[in-house]
Amino acid sequence: MAIQRMDNVGIVVDDMDAAIAFFVELGLELEGRTEVEGLVADQCTGLDGVHCDIAMVRTPDGHSRLELAKYRSPAAVSAGPRNQPHNILGTHRVMFAVDDIEDTVARLRPHGAELLGKIARFEDSYLLCYVRGPEGIIIGLAQQLR
């Protein structure tokens, strides 16, 4: 049996509005917001008394989504400082292809974005960087060079 597709990547956040604003500025579109609670939510997560706000944002091509979740209960648990390095086990990033990496970084800065290192050139193929956004979320940006 094969999978059909990757449906979404889930990210738990504390400030839903800031996370939505960050990803909308990046170029994703807010697909919708809702609340989730009840037996199915408890069974899926393995938690009791789940009640969370959900926002779904999608890429402009409609093929990729991020599910942002803000837990009302049980309270979200911190995994440690939000400025952890990129090589923490279980932590990685979501990579986005962009037209202009420098412009994208500049637009995200007012939303709290910080470069983890600097914009790097991979041969004559790509400009690449990692950016830390709200909640300590790390995203990758890739600009294909022509």
Side-chain angles (χ1 to χ4, degrees):
M1 178 185 254
I3 63 170
Q4 295 176 355
R5 68 180 182 277
M6 185 181 80
D7 192 64
N8 67 65
V9 173
I11 301 173
V12 176
V13 301
D14 188 44
D15 187 337
M16 180 68 80
D17 292 331
I20 290 171
F22 177 82
F23 285 110
V24 167
E25 185 62 43
L26 178 60
L28 279 73
E29 301 165 2
L30 179 62
E31 191 171 83
R33 291 177 81 157
T34 192
E35 289 181 43
V36 175
E37 62 183 323
L39 184 60
V40 172
D42 290 0
Q43 289 174 334
C44 286
T45 62
L47 300 169
D48 292 324
V50 170
H51 184 192
C52 63
D53 298 317
I54 300 289
M56 193 70 75
V57 292
R58 69 170 178 254
T59 56
D61 65 4
H63 294 294
S64 302
R65 291 183 180 89
L66 295 178
E67 179 183 287
L68 306 172
K70 176 180 174 49
Y71 277 80
R72 295 182 184 192
S73 68
V77 177
S78 175
R82 292 185 178 175
N83 62 346
Q84 293 183 2
H86 185 265
N87 62 339
I88 297 294
L89 292 174
T91 302
H92 218 56
R93 50 88 184 128
V94 179
M95 179 70 76
F96 295 96
V98 298
D99 293 328
D100 184 334
I101 200 166
E102 290 181 14
D103 176 67
T104 302
V105 170
R107 287 186 299 104
L108 293 176
R109 284 190 193 277
H111 296 276
E114 299 174 359
L115 283 169
L116 291 184
K118 60 183 181 179
I119 297 172
R121 183 184 190 100
F122 176 70
E123 299 175 349
D124 289 329
S125 300
Y126 286 95
L127 294 176
L128 303 163
C129 70
Y130 290 150
V131 175
R132 186 183 317 279
E135 314 292 342
I137 298 166
I138 297 174
I139 63 168
L141 302 175
Q143 176 186 335
Q144 187 170 12
L145 300 173
R146 307 290 186 269

